[in-house]
Amino acid sequence: MENQKKSFLPPSPLPFSLSPSPKIIIQIDRLILEGIDVSSSQRVKLQAAIEAELARLVRVNGLPEHLQTGGRIPKLPANLSLTNSSNPMQLGREIAQAIYGGMSL
C-alpha cells in the first residue's frame, strides 16, 4: 500500500462569521487532506483562502435550504478534483468549493 501524505489544518481560533446580518458561523473542527503536502508556512494561507472562499460562496449563493435555520454536519466527505497547483490560495478556493458543494447535499 502506498504511503499517502496527510496535511492537517488546526481549527480556527475563532469561527469566522459573515456579517452584517444575518450572522452565519461556519466552524470546521478538523480538515484532513490526504495526498496533499502542505508546508507549515502554507497552512495559514490555505486556511485563509478556504475561509474567504466559503464566505464568498455563502454570500453569493446563500446557505443550502436545510441549513438556513441552523444545523450541524458532523462529517462532510468532499469530492475533490484538485488542479496540480501548489499555490495555497488556489488550493484553498478549490477545497472550499468542494466543502460548499458537500454542504448542499
Side-chain angles (χ1 to χ4, degrees), residues 21-101:
S21 69
K23 184 174 183 180
I24 298 171
I25 297 173
I26 298 174
Q27 181 173 339
I28 299 173
D29 292 324
R30 184 173 59 165
L31 180 63
I32 301 172
L33 305 172
E34 292 187 18
I36 299 173
D37 189 21
V38 180
S39 71
S40 57
S41 64
Q42 290 181 322
R43 287 182 188 151
V44 173
K45 292 177 183 175
L46 180 63
Q47 182 174 343
I50 292 170
E51 290 176 0
E53 181 65 4
L54 273 175
R56 186 192 73 77
L57 289 167
V58 171
R59 191 172 46 254
V60 170
N61 302 317
L63 280 175
E65 190 173 323
H66 68 281
L67 294 173
Q68 289 181 3
T69 57
R72 185 167 187 255
I73 303 172
K75 185 175 182 180
L76 182 102
N79 183 14
L80 290 171
S81 180
L82 298 174
T83 63
N84 290 329
S85 176
S86 61
N87 179 333
M89 300 305 286
Q90 178 63 33
L91 287 173
R93 284 190 293 273
E94 293 175 20
I95 291 166
Q97 290 166 3
I99 291 170
Y100 184 80

Side-chain angles (χ1 to χ4, degrees), residues 13-25:
L14 297 173
F16 66 95
S17 65
L18 309 170
S19 297
S21 69
K23 184 174 183 180
I24 298 171
I25 297 173

